[in-house]
Coordinates of all heavy atoms in Angstrom, one line a residue:
M1 N -87.1 -156.5 -113.0 CA -85.6 -156.4 -113.2 C -85.3 -154.9 -113.6 O -84.2 -154.4 -113.2 CB -85.2 -157.3 -114.3 CG -83.8 -157.2 -114.6 SD -83.2 -158.8 -115.0 CE -81.7 -158.4 -115.6
L2 N -86.1 -154.3 -114.3 CA -85.9 -152.9 -114.7 C -85.9 -152.0 -113.5 O -85.1 -151.1 -113.4 CB -87.0 -152.4 -115.7 CG -86.8 -151.0 -116.3 CD1 -85.5 -150.9 -117.0 CD2 -87.9 -150.7 -117.2
A3 N -86.8 -152.3 -112.5 CA -86.8 -151.5 -111.3 C -85.5 -151.7 -110.5 O -85.0 -150.7 -109.9 CB -88.0 -152.0 -110.5
V4 N -84.9 -152.9 -110.5 CA -83.7 -153.1 -109.8 C -82.6 -152.3 -110.4 O -81.7 -151.7 -109.7 CB -83.4 -154.6 -109.7 CG1 -82.0 -154.8 -109.1 CG2 -84.4 -155.3 -108.9
L5 N -82.5 -152.3 -111.7 CA -81.4 -151.5 -112.4 C -81.6 -150.0 -112.2 O -80.6 -149.3 -112.0 CB -81.5 -151.9 -113.9 CG -81.0 -153.2 -114.3 CD1 -81.2 -153.5 -115.8 CD2 -79.5 -153.4 -114.0
A6 N -82.8 -149.6 -112.2 CA -83.1 -148.1 -112.0 C -82.7 -147.7 -110.6 O -82.1 -146.7 -110.4 CB -84.6 -147.8 -112.3
F7 N -83.0 -148.6 -109.6 CA -82.7 -148.3 -108.2 C -81.1 -148.3 -108.1 O -80.6 -147.4 -107.4 CB -83.3 -149.4 -107.3 CG -82.9 -149.2 -105.9 CD1 -83.6 -148.2 -105.1 CD2 -82.0 -149.9 -105.2 CE1 -83.3 -147.9 -103.8 CE2 -81.7 -149.7 -103.9 CZ -82.3 -148.7 -103.2
A8 N -80.4 -149.2 -108.7 CA -79.0 -149.3 -108.6 C -78.3 -148.1 -109.2 O -77.4 -147.5 -108.7 CB -78.5 -150.6 -109.3
A9 N -78.9 -147.6 -110.4 CA -78.4 -146.4 -111.0 C -78.6 -145.2 -110.2 O -77.7 -144.4 -110.1 CB -79.0 -146.3 -112.4
W10 N -79.8 -145.1 -109.6 CA -80.1 -144.0 -108.7 C -79.1 -143.9 -107.5 O -78.6 -142.9 -107.2 CB -81.5 -144.1 -108.2 CG -81.9 -143.0 -107.3 CD1 -82.1 -141.7 -107.6 CD2 -82.2 -143.2 -105.9 NE1 -82.4 -141.0 -106.4 CE2 -82.5 -141.9 -105.4 CE3 -82.2 -144.3 -105.0 CZ2 -82.8 -141.7 -104.1 CZ3 -82.5 -144.0 -103.7 CH2 -82.8 -142.8 -103.2
K11 N -78.9 -145.1 -106.9 CA -77.9 -145.1 -105.7 C -76.5 -144.8 -106.1 O -75.8 -144.1 -105.4 CB -78.0 -146.5 -105.0 CG -79.2 -146.7 -104.1 CD -79.1 -145.7 -103.0 CE -79.9 -146.1 -101.8 NZ -79.8 -145.2 -100.7
G12 N -76.1 -145.3 -107.3 CA -74.8 -145.0 -107.8 C -74.6 -143.5 -108.0 O -73.5 -143.0 -107.7
C13 N -75.6 -142.9 -108.6 CA -75.5 -141.4 -108.9 C -75.4 -140.7 -107.5 O -74.6 -139.7 -107.4 CB -76.7 -141.0 -109.7 SG -76.6 -141.5 -111.4
A14 N -76.2 -141.1 -106.6 CA -76.1 -140.4 -105.3 C -74.8 -140.6 -104.6 O -74.2 -139.7 -104.0 CB -77.2 -141.0 -104.4
Y15 N -74.2 -141.8 -104.8 CA -72.8 -142.0 -104.2 C -71.8 -141.1 -104.9 O -71.0 -140.5 -104.3 CB -72.5 -143.5 -104.3 CG -71.1 -143.8 -103.9 CD1 -70.8 -143.9 -102.5 CD2 -70.1 -144.0 -104.8 CE1 -69.5 -144.2 -102.1 CE2 -68.8 -144.3 -104.3 CZ -68.5 -144.4 -103.0 OH -67.3 -144.6 -102.5
L16 N -71.9 -141.1 -106.2 CA -70.9 -140.2 -107.0 C -71.1 -138.8 -106.7 O -70.1 -138.1 -106.5 CB -71.1 -140.5 -108.5 CG -70.6 -141.9 -109.0 CD1 -71.0 -142.0 -110.5 CD2 -69.2 -142.1 -108.7
D17 N -72.3 -138.3 -106.5 CA -72.5 -136.9 -106.2 C -72.0 -136.6 -104.8 O -71.3 -135.5 -104.6 CB -74.0 -136.6 -106.2 CG -74.6 -136.5 -107.6 OD1 -73.8 -136.3 -108.6 OD2 -75.8 -136.6 -107.8
R18 N -72.1 -137.5 -103.8 CA -71.6 -137.2 -102.5 C -70.1 -137.2 -102.5 O -69.5 -136.4 -101.9 CB -72.1 -138.3 -101.6 CG -71.7 -138.1 -100.1 CD -72.2 -139.1 -99.2 NE -71.6 -140.4 -99.6 CZ -72.2 -141.6 -99.5 NH1 -73.4 -141.6 -99.0 NH2 -71.6 -142.7 -99.8
G19 N -69.5 -138.1 -103.3 CA -68.0 -138.1 -103.4 C -67.4 -136.9 -104.0 O -66.4 -136.3 -103.6
S20 N -68.1 -136.3 -105.1 CA -67.6 -135.1 -105.7 C -67.8 -133.9 -104.8 O -67.0 -133.0 -104.9 CB -68.3 -134.9 -107.1 OG -69.7 -134.7 -106.9
A21 N -68.8 -133.9 -104.0 CA -69.0 -132.8 -103.1 C -67.8 -132.8 -102.0 O -67.3 -131.7 -101.7 CB -70.3 -132.9 -102.4
T22 N -67.4 -134.0 -101.6 CA -66.3 -134.1 -100.6 C -65.1 -133.6 -101.3 O -64.3 -132.8 -100.7 CB -66.2 -135.5 -100.1 OG1 -67.4 -135.9 -99.5 CG2 -65.1 -135.6 -99.1
A23 N -64.8 -134.0 -102.5 CA -63.6 -133.6 -103.2 C -63.6 -132.1 -103.4 O -62.5 -131.4 -103.3 CB -63.5 -134.3 -104.5
A24 N -64.7 -131.5 -103.7 CA -64.8 -130.1 -103.9 C -64.5 -129.3 -102.6 O -63.8 -128.3 -102.6 CB -66.1 -129.7 -104.5
S25 N -65.0 -129.8 -101.5 CA -64.7 -129.1 -100.2 C -63.3 -129.2 -99.8 O -62.7 -128.3 -99.2 CB -65.6 -129.7 -99.2 OG -65.3 -131.0 -98.9
V26 N -62.6 -130.3 -100.2 CA -61.2 -130.5 -99.9 C -60.3 -129.5 -100.7 O -59.4 -128.9 -100.2 CB -60.7 -131.9 -100.1 CG1 -59.2 -132.0 -100.0 CG2 -61.4 -132.8 -99.1
S27 N -60.7 -129.3 -101.9 CA -59.9 -128.4 -102.8 C -60.3 -127.0 -102.8 O -59.9 -126.2 -103.6 CB -59.8 -129.0 -104.2 OG -61.2 -128.9 -104.7
A28 N -61.2 -126.6 -101.9 CA -61.7 -125.2 -101.8 C -60.6 -124.3 -101.4 O -59.7 -124.6 -100.7 CB -62.8 -125.1 -100.8
P29 N -60.6 -123.0 -102.0 CA -59.5 -122.1 -101.6 C -59.6 -121.6 -100.2 O -60.7 -121.8 -99.5 CB -59.8 -120.9 -102.6 CG -61.3 -121.1 -103.0 CD -61.6 -122.5 -102.9
L30 N -58.6 -121.0 -99.7 CA -58.6 -120.5 -98.4 C -59.7 -119.4 -98.2 O -60.1 -118.8 -99.1 CB -57.2 -119.8 -98.1 CG -56.0 -120.8 -98.0 CD1 -54.8 -120.0 -97.8 CD2 -56.2 -121.8 -96.8
D31 N -60.1 -119.2 -97.0 CA -61.1 -118.2 -96.6 C -60.6 -116.8 -97.1 O -59.4 -116.5 -96.9 CB -61.3 -118.2 -95.1 CG -62.4 -117.3 -94.7 OD1 -63.1 -116.7 -95.6 OD2 -62.6 -117.1 -93.5
A32 N -61.4 -116.0 -97.7 CA -61.0 -114.7 -98.2 C -60.6 -113.8 -97.1 O -59.9 -112.8 -97.3 CB -62.2 -114.1 -98.9
T33 N -60.9 -114.0 -95.8 CA -60.5 -113.2 -94.7 C -59.1 -113.4 -94.3 O -58.5 -112.6 -93.7 CB -61.4 -113.3 -93.5 OG1 -61.4 -114.7 -93.1 CG2 -62.8 -112.9 -93.8
Q34 N -58.5 -114.6 -94.7 CA -57.1 -114.9 -94.4 C -56.2 -114.2 -95.4 O -56.5 -114.3 -96.6 CB -56.9 -116.4 -94.4 CG -57.7 -117.1 -93.3 CD -57.5 -118.6 -93.5 OE1 -57.1 -119.1 -94.5 NE2 -57.8 -119.4 -92.4
S35 N -55.2 -113.6 -95.0 CA -54.3 -113.0 -95.9 C -52.9 -113.4 -95.6 O -52.6 -113.8 -94.4 CB -54.4 -111.5 -95.8 OG -54.1 -111.0 -94.5
P36 N -52.0 -113.4 -96.5 CA -50.6 -113.8 -96.3 C -49.9 -112.8 -95.3 O -50.4 -111.6 -95.2 CB -49.9 -113.7 -97.6 CG -50.8 -112.9 -98.5 CD -52.2 -113.0 -97.9
A37 N -48.9 -113.2 -94.7 CA -48.2 -112.4 -93.7 C -47.6 -111.2 -94.5 O -47.1 -111.3 -95.6 CB -47.1 -113.1 -93.0
P38 N -47.6 -110.0 -93.9 CA -47.1 -108.8 -94.5 C -45.6 -108.9 -94.7 O -44.9 -109.5 -93.9 CB -47.5 -107.6 -93.6 CG -47.7 -108.3 -92.3 CD -48.2 -109.7 -92.6
A39 N -45.1 -108.3 -95.8 CA -43.7 -108.3 -96.0 C -43.0 -107.3 -95.0 O -43.6 -106.3 -94.6 CB -43.4 -107.8 -97.4
P40 N -41.8 -107.7 -94.5 CA -41.1 -106.8 -93.6 C -40.9 -105.4 -94.2 O -40.6 -105.3 -95.4 CB -39.8 -107.5 -93.3 CG -39.6 -108.5 -94.3 CD -41.0 -108.8 -94.9
V41 N -41.0 -104.4 -93.4 CA -40.8 -103.0 -93.9 C -39.4 -102.5 -93.3 O -39.3 -102.5 -92.1 CB -41.9 -102.1 -93.5 CG1 -41.7 -100.7 -93.9 CG2 -43.2 -102.6 -94.0
F42 N -38.5 -102.1 -94.2 CA -37.3 -101.6 -93.8 C -37.1 -100.2 -94.3 O -37.8 -99.8 -95.3 CB -36.1 -102.4 -94.4 CG -36.2 -103.9 -94.0 CD1 -36.4 -104.9 -95.0 CD2 -36.1 -104.3 -92.7 CE1 -36.4 -106.2 -94.7 CE2 -36.1 -105.7 -92.4 CZ -36.3 -106.6 -93.4
R43 N -36.2 -99.4 -93.8 CA -36.0 -98.1 -94.3 C -34.5 -97.8 -94.1 O -33.9 -98.2 -93.1 CB -36.8 -97.0 -93.6 CG -36.6 -96.9 -92.1 CD -37.5 -95.8 -91.5 NE -37.3 -95.8 -90.0 CZ -36.4 -95.1 -89.4 NH1 -35.6 -94.3 -90.1 NH2 -36.3 -95.1 -88.1
C44 N -34.0 -97.0 -95.0 CA -32.5 -96.6 -94.9 C -32.4 -95.7 -93.7 O -33.1 -94.7 -93.6 CB -32.1 -95.9 -96.2 SG -32.3 -96.9 -97.6
D45 N -31.5 -96.0 -92.8 CA -31.3 -95.2 -91.6 C -29.8 -95.0 -91.3 O -29.5 -94.6 -90.2 CB -32.0 -95.8 -90.4 CG -31.5 -97.3 -90.1 OD1 -30.5 -97.7 -90.7 OD2 -32.2 -97.9 -89.3
G46 N -29.0 -95.2 -92.3 CA -27.5 -94.9 -92.1 C -26.7 -96.1 -91.7 O -25.5 -96.0 -91.8
R47 N -27.3 -97.2 -91.4 CA -26.5 -98.4 -91.1 C -25.8 -98.9 -92.4 O -26.4 -98.8 -93.5 CB -27.3 -99.5 -90.5 CG -27.9 -99.1 -89.1 CD -28.7 -100.2 -88.5 NE -30.0 -100.2 -89.2 CZ -30.8 -101.3 -89.2 NH1 -30.5 -102.4 -88.5 NH2 -32.0 -101.2 -89.8
Q48 N -24.6 -99.4 -92.2 CA -23.8 -99.7 -93.4 C -23.2 -101.1 -93.3 O -22.8 -101.7 -94.3 CB -22.6 -98.8 -93.6 CG -23.0 -97.4 -93.9 CD -21.8 -96.4 -94.0 OE1 -20.8 -96.7 -93.5 NE2 -22.0 -95.4 -94.8
H49 N -23.1 -101.7 -92.2 CA -22.3 -103.0 -92.0 C -23.2 -104.1 -91.6 O -24.3 -103.9 -91.0 CB -21.2 -102.7 -90.9 CG -20.3 -101.6 -91.2 ND1 -19.2 -101.8 -92.1 CD2 -20.3 -100.4 -90.7 CE1 -18.6 -100.6 -92.1 NE2 -19.2 -99.7 -91.4
C50 N -22.7 -105.3 -91.9 CA -23.5 -106.6 -91.6 C -23.8 -106.7 -90.1 O -24.8 -107.1 -89.7 CB -22.7 -107.8 -92.1 SG -22.6 -107.9 -93.9
S51 N -22.8 -106.3 -89.3 CA -23.0 -106.4 -87.8 C -24.2 -105.6 -87.3 O -24.7 -105.8 -86.2 CB -21.7 -106.0 -87.1 OG -21.4 -104.6 -87.4
Q52 N -24.6 -104.6 -88.1 CA -25.7 -103.8 -87.7 C -27.1 -104.3 -88.2 O -28.1 -103.7 -87.9 CB -25.5 -102.3 -88.3 CG -24.3 -101.7 -87.8 CD -23.9 -100.4 -88.5 OE1 -23.9 -100.4 -89.8 NE2 -23.6 -99.4 -87.8
M53 N -27.1 -105.4 -89.0 CA -28.3 -105.9 -89.5 C -28.9 -107.0 -88.6 O -28.1 -107.7 -87.9 CB -28.1 -106.5 -90.9 CG -27.5 -105.6 -92.0 SD -28.7 -104.3 -92.4 CE -27.8 -102.8 -92.0
T54 N -30.2 -107.2 -88.7 CA -30.8 -108.2 -87.9 C -31.2 -109.5 -88.7 O -31.6 -110.5 -88.1 CB -32.0 -107.7 -87.1 OG1 -32.9 -107.2 -88.1 CG2 -31.6 -106.6 -86.2
S55 N -31.2 -109.4 -90.0 CA -31.6 -110.5 -90.9 C -30.9 -110.3 -92.2 O -30.5 -109.2 -92.6 CB -33.1 -110.6 -91.0 OG -33.6 -109.5 -91.7
R56 N -30.9 -111.4 -93.0 CA -30.4 -111.4 -94.4 C -31.3 -110.5 -95.2 O -30.9 -109.8 -96.1 CB -30.2 -112.7 -95.0 CG -29.8 -112.6 -96.4 CD -29.2 -113.8 -97.1 NE -28.2 -114.5 -96.3 CZ -26.9 -114.3 -96.3 NH1 -26.4 -113.3 -97.1 NH2 -26.1 -115.1 -95.6
A57 N -32.6 -110.6 -95.0 CA -33.6 -109.8 -95.8 C -33.3 -108.3 -95.6 O -33.4 -107.6 -96.5 CB -35.0 -110.2 -95.3
E58 N -33.0 -108.0 -94.3 CA -32.7 -106.5 -94.1 C -31.4 -106.1 -94.8 O -31.4 -105.1 -95.4 CB -32.6 -106.3 -92.6 CG -32.4 -104.9 -92.2 CD -32.3 -104.7 -90.7 OE1 -31.7 -105.5 -90.0 OE2 -32.9 -103.7 -90.2
A59 N -30.4 -107.0 -94.7 CA -29.2 -106.7 -95.4 C -29.4 -106.5 -96.9 O -28.8 -105.6 -97.6 CB -28.1 -107.7 -95.1
E60 N -30.2 -107.4 -97.5 CA -30.5 -107.4 -98.9 C -31.2 -106.1 -99.3 O -30.9 -105.5 -100.3 CB -31.3 -108.6 -99.4 CG -30.5 -109.9 -99.4 CD -31.3 -111.1 -99.6 OE1 -32.6 -111.0 -99.7 OE2 -30.7 -112.2 -99.7
Y61 N -32.1 -105.7 -98.5 CA -32.8 -104.4 -98.7 C -31.8 -103.3 -98.7 O -31.9 -102.4 -99.6 CB -33.9 -104.2 -97.6 CG -34.6 -102.8 -97.8 CD1 -35.7 -102.7 -98.6 CD2 -34.1 -101.7 -97.1 CE1 -36.3 -101.5 -98.8 CE2 -34.7 -100.5 -97.3 CZ -35.8 -100.4 -98.1 OH -36.4 -99.1 -98.3
F62 N -31.0 -103.2 -97.7 CA -30.0 -102.1 -97.6 C -29.1 -102.1 -98.7 O -28.8 -101.0 -99.3 CB -29.3 -102.2 -96.2 CG -29.9 -101.5 -95.1 CD1 -31.0 -102.0 -94.5 CD2 -29.4 -100.3 -94.6 CE1 -31.7 -101.4 -93.4 CE2 -30.0 -99.7 -93.5 CZ -31.1 -100.2 -92.9
V63 N -28.6 -103.2 -99.2 CA -27.7 -103.2 -100.4 C -28.4 -102.7 -101.6 O -27.8 -101.9 -102.4 CB -27.1 -104.6 -100.6 CG1 -26.4 -104.7 -101.9 CG2 -26.1 -104.9 -99.5
R64 N -29.7 -103.1 -101.8 CA -30.4 -102.7 -103.0 C -30.9 -101.2 -103.0 O -31.0 -100.6 -104.0 CB -31.6 -103.6 -103.2 CG -31.1 -105.0 -103.6 CD -32.3 -105.9 -103.9 NE -31.9 -107.2 -104.2 CZ -32.4 -108.3 -103.5 NH1 -33.3 -108.1 -102.6 NH2 -31.9 -109.5 -103.8
H65 N -31.2 -100.7 -101.8 CA -31.9 -99.5 -101.7 C -31.2 -98.3 -101.0 O -31.7 -97.2 -101.1 CB -33.3 -99.7 -101.1 CG -34.2 -100.7 -101.8 ND1 -34.8 -100.4 -102.9 CD2 -34.5 -102.0 -101.5 CE1 -35.5 -101.5 -103.3 NE2 -35.3 -102.4 -102.5
C66 N -30.2 -98.6 -100.3 CA -29.6 -97.5 -99.5 C -28.2 -97.2 -99.9 O -27.4 -98.1 -100.4 CB -29.5 -98.0 -98.0 SG -31.1 -98.5 -97.3
P67 N -27.8 -96.0 -99.9 CA -26.4 -95.6 -100.3 C -25.3 -95.9 -99.4 O -25.6 -96.1 -98.2 CB -26.6 -94.0 -100.5 CG -27.6 -93.7 -99.4 CD -28.6 -94.8 -99.4
D68 N -24.1 -96.1 -99.9 CA -22.9 -96.3 -99.1 C -22.9 -97.5 -98.2 O -22.3 -97.4 -97.1 CB -22.6 -95.0 -98.3 CG -22.5 -93.8 -99.2 OD1 -21.9 -93.9 -100.3 OD2 -23.0 -92.7 -98.8
T69 N -23.5 -98.6 -98.5 CA -23.4 -99.8 -97.7 C -22.1 -100.5 -97.9 O -21.5 -100.4 -99.0 CB -24.6 -100.7 -97.9 OG1 -24.6 -101.2 -99.3 CG2 -25.9 -100.1 -97.6
K70 N -21.7 -101.2 -96.9 CA -20.4 -101.9 -97.0 C -20.6 -103.4 -96.7 O -19.9 -104.0 -95.9 CB -19.4 -101.3 -96.1 CG -19.0 -99.8 -96.5 CD -18.2 -99.2 -95.4 CE -17.8 -97.8 -95.8 NZ -18.8 -96.9 -96.2
M71 N -21.6 -104.0 -97.3 CA -22.0 -105.4 -97.0 C -21.8 -106.3 -98.1 O -22.0 -107.5 -98.0 CB -23.5 -105.4 -96.5 CG -23.7 -104.7 -95.3 SD -25.4 -104.7 -94.7 CE -26.0 -103.3 -95.5
D72 N -21.4 -105.9 -99.3 CA -21.2 -106.7 -100.5 C -19.8 -106.5 -101.1 O -19.7 -105.8 -102.1 CB -22.3 -106.5 -101.5 CG -22.3 -107.4 -102.6 OD1 -21.6 -108.5 -102.6 OD2 -23.0 -107.2 -103.6
G73 N -18.8 -107.0 -100.4 CA -17.5 -106.7 -100.9 C -17.1 -107.2 -102.3 O -16.4 -106.5 -103.0
D74 N -17.7 -108.3 -102.7 CA -17.4 -108.7 -104.1 C -18.4 -108.3 -105.1 O -18.4 -108.6 -106.3 CB -17.2 -110.2 -104.1 CG -18.5 -111.0 -103.7 OD1 -19.5 -110.3 -103.3 OD2 -18.4 -112.2 -103.7
H75 N -19.4 -107.4 -104.7 CA -20.4 -106.8 -105.6 C -21.2 -107.8 -106.4 O -21.5 -107.6 -107.6 CB -19.7 -105.8 -106.5 CG -18.9 -104.7 -105.8 ND1 -19.5 -103.7 -105.1 CD2 -17.6 -104.6 -105.6 CE1 -18.6 -103.0 -104.5 NE2 -17.4 -103.5 -104.8
D76 N -21.5 -109.0 -105.8 CA -22.3 -110.0 -106.5 C -23.8 -109.9 -106.2 O -24.6 -110.7 -106.6 CB -21.8 -111.4 -106.3 CG -21.9 -111.8 -104.8 OD1 -22.2 -111.0 -104.0 OD2 -21.7 -113.0 -104.6
G77 N -24.1 -108.9 -105.3 CA -25.5 -108.7 -105.0 C -26.0 -109.5 -103.7 O -27.1 -109.5 -103.3
V78 N -25.0 -110.3 -103.2 CA -25.4 -111.1 -102.0 C -24.6 -110.5 -100.8 O -23.4 -110.6 -100.7 CB -24.9 -112.6 -102.2 CG1 -25.2 -113.4 -100.9 CG2 -25.5 -113.2 -103.4
P79 N -25.3 -109.8 -99.9 CA -24.7 -109.2 -98.8 C -24.3 -110.2 -97.6 O -25.0 -111.2 -97.5 CB -25.7 -108.2 -98.3 CG -27.0 -108.8 -98.7 CD -26.8 -109.6 -99.9
C80 N -23.4 -109.8 -96.9 CA -23.0 -110.6 -95.6 C -22.8 -112.0 -95.9 O -23.2 -112.9 -95.1 CB -24.1 -110.3 -94.6 SG -24.5 -108.6 -94.3
E81 N -22.1 -112.4 -96.9 CA -21.8 -113.8 -97.2 C -21.1 -114.5 -96.2 O -21.3 -115.7 -96.0 CB -21.1 -113.9 -98.6 CG -22.0 -113.4 -99.8 CD -21.2 -113.4 -101.0 OE1 -20.4 -112.5 -101.2 OE2 -21.4 -114.3 -101.9
N82 N -20.2 -113.9 -95.5 CA -19.4 -114.5 -94.4 C -20.0 -114.4 -93.0 O -19.4 -114.8 -92.1 CB -18.0 -113.9 -94.5 CG -17.3 -114.3 -95.8 OD1 -17.5 -115.3 -96.4 ND2 -16.5 -113.3 -96.3
D83 N -21.1 -113.8 -92.9 CA -21.8 -113.6 -91.6 C -22.5 -114.9 -91.2 O -23.5 -115.3 -91.9 CB -22.7 -112.4 -91.6 CG -23.2 -112.0 -90.3 OD1 -23.3 -112.9 -89.4 OD2 -23.4 -110.8 -90.1
S84 N -22.0 -115.6 -90.2 CA -22.6 -116.9 -89.9 C -24.0 -116.8 -89.2 O -24.7 -117.8 -89.0 CB -21.7 -117.6 -88.9 OG -21.5 -116.9 -87.7
R85 N -24.4 -115.6 -88.9 CA -25.8 -115.4 -88.3 C -26.9 -115.7 -89.3 O -28.0 -116.0 -88.9 CB -25.9 -114.0 -87.7 CG -25.0 -113.7 -86.6 CD -25.2 -112.3 -86.1 NE -24.9 -111.3 -87.2 CZ -25.6 -110.2 -87.3 NH1 -26.5 -109.8 -86.5 NH2 -25.3 -109.4 -88.3
F86 N -26.6 -115.5 -90.6 CA -27.7 -115.6 -91.6 C -27.5 -116.9 -92.4 O -26.6 -117.2 -93.0 CB -27.6 -114.4 -92.5 CG -27.6 -113.1 -91.8 CD1 -26.7 -112.1 -92.2 CD2 -28.5 -112.8 -90.8 CE1 -26.7 -110.9 -91.5 CE2 -28.5 -111.6 -90.2 CZ -27.6 -110.6 -90.5

């Protein structure tokens, strides 16, 4: 009877170890060679109006970093609020 209990305990441990290895592989972090997509790079080039922008991110960059923009009429920090493209 002791041999049967020992065998059952051994099999149970093997089952638990296999299950924890599977759980560990599922929650493993992403491969170190994978990197997030790079942030878009914008530069001030004299454009001032929403019609000259290609994205809301670009308009936000211009309002924050470039002089003399005309994209935030109410000065709330949100450019091109009425532009339906964004």
